Amino acid sequence: MTSPKRLGFFSRLLDSVSPGERYRLGAEQIIHAERLGFDSAWVAQHHFNYEEGGLPSPLVFLSHVAARTKTIRLGTGIITLPLEQPIRVAEDAAVLDLLSNGRLELGIGSGGTASSFVAFGLESAARGAINGANLDVLRKALGGGDLGGGNHLHPERKPLLDRIWQATFSVDGGARAGAAGDGLMLSRTQPRAPDNPDASLADLQHPIIDAYLQNLPPGVEPRILASRTLFVADEQSTALEWADQGLRRIAVKFAAGGHILAGNTLPDLIRAFDTHVGTAETVIDSLSQDTTLARATDISFQVHSVDPPHELILRSLELTATAVAPALGWRARPSIAIAS
């Protein structure tokens, strides 16, 4: 019998409010997800750009959330490792994991806005090599290795080695994550080749999963997290109204960056940005056509780039937990009382 899928909530903290209010609402959304029985919550890291993402320090934010939750696993999706000092990442991750009673999931990747690398004195083109070198140091630190001068990570946290996840868009990246025995993180959307602009996520991500599984060491359980854009509302009209606003906003940015979209109707944009939106019945039907999800061990839903208001995000979480996720083979854990 196939194991039930683990369900996650993902946020880039993009509510249209001040930074401090973004953090308050983001924490509230994660607490609500825990009450509903979600297995995990993931937050992204972005530097400098308010429009791109609201959180440069995910481990700091998750430490705050850890103090207000009990069971939900807390993940970084992702830490942009080329822009970090890997020993410091290991130290902060170790402290957070201890404070949260072992609930940290450490997602890393080489991505990030190209202009951010300039501020750190780095070349974006070198991100792959820097990421690989920094990941080696991160593993050495978490594994208790000598970091120079006889120094070793304190506090020691070797269990985190089994909770590293790698995000990738490529087959080679999937192979690397598998060979390392790490988890594989698949994006909610993915760049299409100019000669195949209508490729589905399944077309693009099945080969990545194949490479991951083919390279996974014997005896290592696969961990495959598929992130998807999902906004569920009680009324179809409500869902489509917010989708029209959010997706047109992001379409303008894509066009400014030189991307070509096949059309500008709302169905065109929903398809172009791999968005699942509508009532529970509508999104269940939409998600059932994504064959990648059947191979995922973990599914993480986010409302970006629809970005409805906070109250509708909370309602979307409720409808996801009670109607959508069970149709995908997930069952909620018992809800718990949480201290505010």
Side-chain angles (χ1 to χ4, degrees), residues 1-303:
M1 181 177 178
T2 303
S3 299
K5 297 183 187 303
R6 294 180 290 264
L7 185 72
F9 167 63
F10 179 92
S11 179
R12 288 166 59 192
L13 286 84
L14 287 175
D15 298 87
S16 297
V17 291
S18 67
E21 186 68 355
R22 277 183 169 182
Y23 300 155
R24 187 187 73 80
L25 295 179
E28 192 173 306
Q29 290 159 15
I30 293 173
I31 291 167
H32 194 58
E34 176 167 276
R35 289 193 182 104
L36 293 166
F38 277 66
D39 297 288
S40 63
W42 302 78
V43 293
Q45 178 186 51
H46 289 91
H47 295 283
F48 310 122
N49 192 333
Y50 179 87
E51 298 296 330
E52 177 70 16
L55 185 62
S57 304
L59 295 174
V60 174
F61 174 77
L62 290 177
S63 291
H64 166 71
V65 175
R68 301 183 61 193
T69 56
K70 295 181 179 179
T71 61
I72 195 166
R73 304 198 66 75
L74 303 172
T76 57
I78 57 169
I79 291 174
T80 307
L81 199 58
L83 303 182
E84 300 288 337
Q85 210 295 335
I87 295 175
R88 288 290 298 117
V89 173
E91 290 177 328
D92 287 348
V95 171
L96 170 54
D97 199 49
L98 284 169
L99 290 173
S100 66
N101 294 317
R103 287 189 281 142
L104 178 61
E105 301 289 334
L106 192 56
I108 61 93
S110 63
T113 307
S115 60
S116 297
F117 284 74
V118 177
F120 286 87
L122 299 171
E123 293 288 338
S124 177
R127 67 176 64 192
I130 300 171
N131 184 69
N134 283 0
L135 182 53
D136 288 343
V137 175
L138 177 65
R139 290 191 202 281
K140 185 175 184 179
L142 292 175
D146 188 337
L147 300 174
N151 293 300
H152 300 265
L153 183 70
H154 178 77
E156 178 274 328
R157 207 62 185 157
K158 290 182 182 178
L160 274 171
L161 285 171
D162 296 325
R163 285 182 262 135
I164 294 174
W165 299 73
Q166 293 193 47
T168 185
F169 285 137
S170 73
V171 170
D172 287 345
R176 284 192 297 271
D182 294 337
L184 173 68
M185 303 182 79
L186 299 172
S187 178
R188 68 192 171 97
T189 189
Q190 191 155 337
R192 269 65 168 179
D195 60 349
N196 193 14
D198 293 324
S200 69
L201 272 182
D203 293 334
L204 300 170
Q205 294 185 342
H206 275 306
I208 300 174
I209 295 174
D210 290 341
Y212 171 76
L213 294 174
Q214 289 164 6
N215 286 274
L216 203 65
V220 175
E221 287 292 321
R223 291 177 290 134
I224 302 170
L225 172 64
S227 180
R228 293 295 183 263
T229 294
L230 182 75
F231 173 47
V232 196
D234 291 293
E235 302 292 337
Q236 186 79 1
S237 59
T238 300
L240 294 180
E241 176 186 353
W242 285 102
D244 192 65
Q245 294 182 43
L247 296 182
R248 290 195 186 283
R249 185 168 56 245
I250 195 68
V252 170
K253 296 179 182 178
F254 265 62
H259 296 276
I260 298 175
L261 298 174
N264 62 0
T265 68
L266 182 55
D268 289 333
L269 297 177
I270 287 173
R271 184 170 55 256
F273 294 110
D274 305 299
T275 303
H276 304 275
V277 59
T279 62
E281 293 79 6
T282 300
V283 298
I284 289 170
D285 180 64
S286 177
L287 286 165
S288 68
Q289 300 174 45
D290 184 349
T291 58
T292 313
L293 299 182
R295 304 179 73 186
T297 59
D298 299 70
I299 304 174
S300 181
F301 290 126
Q302 55 184 290
V303 295

